[in-house]
Amino acid sequence: MEKEKLIKSSKTIGGGGLEFSLIQLIHDHNLTTIKTREQADKVKKDALKSAIRVSDLLVETVNGGVQETYVNQKRIENEIRALTATTIRFTKQTDQWLSASHAVNSALKEIGDFENWMKTMDYDCKIINAAIRNIYKP
């Protein structure tokens, strides 16, 4: 709007030598300033749009990495839960196996004790038998 006023005022001013030249210089300067200001505003708007685009791309990139990390974290947590449950199940099973093997060991010890008792009894019977034979020997 300011540009249009300057253009109209420069057309209405008549030729008057030095005064006209100075006025023309001022008008030219004002027009150049307006054009420069418009170009600067356009460049600022373009720079702002570019900065916003770069910012959006950076946010998307960072969010993508964060999202991927979050998904991986949840997957790892699920695996940890599954492994914990499996470990608990294996611990219970191992305890059962230990109990069973301990029972087998105890049974084997009892068998060994019984066998030893039987050998002792056999030996004692042989000694008693020998003593009785020695007594009744003519």
Side-chain angles (χ1 to χ4, degrees), residues 107-136:
L108 288 175
K109 282 182 184 178
E110 289 176 7
I111 289 172
D113 289 344
F114 180 74
E115 186 179 3
N116 191 24
W117 178 79
M118 289 292 290
K119 285 180 183 178
T120 304
M121 289 300 288
D122 184 48
Y123 180 73
D124 288 345
C125 286
K126 284 180 183 177
I127 290 176
I128 291 171
N129 188 16
I132 290 176
R133 283 188 187 191
N134 283 338
I135 292 176
Y136 287 109

Side-chain angles (χ1 to χ4, degrees), residues 18 34 37 41 57 63 72 75 83 87-89 93 103 136:
L18 183 60
I34 290 171
R37 191 177 306 139
D41 287 344
L57 289 173
N63 282 346
N72 288 337
R75 193 174 300 141
L83 287 173
T87 303
I88 290 170
R89 192 177 77 241
Q93 189 175 17
Y136 287 109

Side-chain angles (χ1 to χ4, degrees), residues 1 21 30 35 37 43 51 57 62 84-85 90-91 107 116 127:
M1 189 171 263
S21 295
N30 287 339
K35 285 179 185 177
R37 191 177 306 139
V43 169
L57 289 173
V62 170
T84 301
F90 285 153
T91 301
N116 191 24
I127 290 176

Side-chain angles (χ1 to χ4, degrees), residues 16-129:
L18 183 60
E19 185 179 337
F20 175 74
S21 295
L22 288 174
I23 291 173
Q24 186 64 36
L25 279 174
I26 291 171
H27 285 297
D28 289 345
H29 172 71
N30 287 339
L31 285 174
T32 306
T33 304
I34 290 171
K35 285 179 185 177
T36 305
R37 191 177 306 139
E38 287 174 353
Q39 287 175 346
D41 287 344
K42 183 181 178 200
V43 169
K44 281 181 188 177
K45 287 177 185 176
D46 290 344
L48 184 61
K49 286 179 185 176
S50 296
I52 289 171
R53 180 69 181 141
V54 167
S55 174
D56 289 344
L57 289 173
L58 288 173
V59 168
E60 287 175 15
T61 302
V62 170
N63 282 346
V66 169
Q67 182 180 9
E68 184 178 340
T69 303
Y70 178 77
V71 168
N72 288 337
Q73 178 184 359
K74 289 300 175 186
R75 193 174 300 141
I76 289 169
E77 287 174 358
N78 288 337
E79 287 294 324
I80 288 171
R81 284 187 200 107
L83 287 173
T84 301
T86 303
T87 303
I88 290 170
R89 192 177 77 241
F90 285 153
T91 301
K92 288 178 182 177
Q93 189 175 17
T94 303
D95 289 342
Q96 290 172 350
W97 289 348
L98 285 173
S99 294
S101 67
H102 186 66
V104 168
N105 283 339
S106 295
L108 288 175
K109 282 182 184 178
E110 289 176 7
I111 289 172
D113 289 344
F114 180 74
E115 186 179 3
N116 191 24
W117 178 79
M118 289 292 290
K119 285 180 183 178
T120 304
M121 289 300 288
D122 184 48
Y123 180 73
D124 288 345
C125 286
K126 284 180 183 177
I127 290 176
I128 291 171
N129 188 16

